[in-house]
Amino acid sequence: MPLRPTIPAPSRPPLRPRRRGVLALIALAMCAACWLAAAGPVRADTIPVKAAELRIDEGEVLLNAEFDLSLNPTLEDALEKGIPLYFDLEFELTRGRWYWLDEKVAQTTTVYRISYNALTRQYRVASGLLTQTFNSLDEVERFIGRVTSRPVAAADVLAKGDKYDAAVRLRLDVNQLPKPFQVNALASREWTLASDWQRWTFTP
């Protein structure tokens, strides 16, 4: 019998460079997800909350709070190397409604920027238009951790005799860190420092 000619199988076209790049990114993302899952959830260092209260004075709702803020050696070292740290003081005031979602009466965020000057060996804390300098990190921690008579709402937005739910917390804002340190914050508890939400009821 005459031999039949063999027809070569069609060759697969090479992947386009753009497609190869997309596949590489997908593989990298899957590897990162598997690594984070295997490592387990990262627990943040906790900032203890000592006290929190509201009072009304001269037409304003004022917040008093005290946090036991203490930076770990990793954060101290970052400051000394010129990396500023940002802390957010977050406050919420809501009123429950049985017929709908809770009413958000007030919501404020105070941002503290901490930096270190190696020449003067002083720490600087900036918050809005306010800037103060300190000779030690202990002074910085006490300054940020003590909230005294901070206005959070106008008193006339509250109904006298109604019950309100207040909540406050202090946390390191890792989104303000340089990009390489944001990656470290995902996998290291030394870069995640925050208090739990401190909640209480307030009746004007």
Side-chain angles (χ1 to χ4, degrees):
M1 296 180 61
L3 297 176
R4 295 181 180 181
T6 57
I7 301 176
S11 59
R12 297 177 62 183
L15 292 176
R16 296 179 180 178
R18 185 175 180 181
R19 186 180 177 187
R20 286 200 299 267
V22 172
L23 292 177
L25 288 176
I26 294 174
L28 181 62
M30 292 179 64
C31 290
C34 292
W35 181 82
L36 289 175
V42 177
R43 298 187 61 183
D45 281 344
T46 302
I47 304 173
V49 186
K50 291 185 174 181
E53 64 174 7
L54 293 175
R55 63 184 180 89
I56 295 178
D57 188 25
E58 297 184 355
E60 290 186 311
V61 181
L62 305 177
L63 171 66
N64 294 327
E66 186 174 358
F67 300 88
D68 189 10
L69 175 61
S70 180
L71 302 188
N72 59 48
T74 298
L75 299 180
E76 292 182 24
D77 184 62
L79 279 175
E80 293 179 358
K81 290 180 178 178
I83 300 170
L85 301 179
Y86 292 81
F87 281 86
D88 292 343
L89 175 70
E90 300 174 322
F91 172 80
E92 294 180 355
L93 188 66
T94 59
R95 177 170 57 181
R97 295 184 292 195
W98 64 269
Y99 59 90
W100 196 242
L101 300 176
D102 292 349
E103 176 189 6
K104 186 165 291 186
V105 179
Q107 183 177 23
T108 65
T109 300
T110 304
V111 180
Y112 299 96
R113 182 185 186 274
I114 310 173
S115 59
Y116 178 70
N117 189 321
L119 295 178
T120 63
R121 296 184 179 181
Q122 287 183 320
Y123 296 88
R124 181 180 179 183
V125 178
S127 180
L129 300 177
L130 174 67
T131 300
Q132 290 187 245
T133 57
F134 301 91
N135 294 321
S136 70
L137 192 56
D138 289 340
E139 294 175 327
V140 172
E141 293 167 343
R142 286 194 296 269
F143 174 75
I144 297 178
R146 291 180 181 176
V147 182
T148 304
S149 299
R150 179 173 297 279
V152 290
D156 57 10
V157 302
L158 306 183
K160 190 173 182 179
D162 282 4
K163 183 183 292 185
Y164 294 85
D165 296 315
V168 66
R169 73 171 177 175
L170 180 67
R171 67 181 182 91
L172 173 67
D173 188 357
V174 297
N175 293 322
Q176 298 284 358
L177 294 172
K179 293 298 182 182
F181 294 94
Q182 291 184 28
V183 174
N184 288 339
L186 294 175
S188 174
R189 64 190 295 261
E190 295 176 344
W191 285 97
T192 50
L193 181 62
S195 74
D196 294 328
W197 280 102
Q198 179 72 10
R199 303 182 185 276
W200 71 101
T201 58
F202 174 69
T203 304

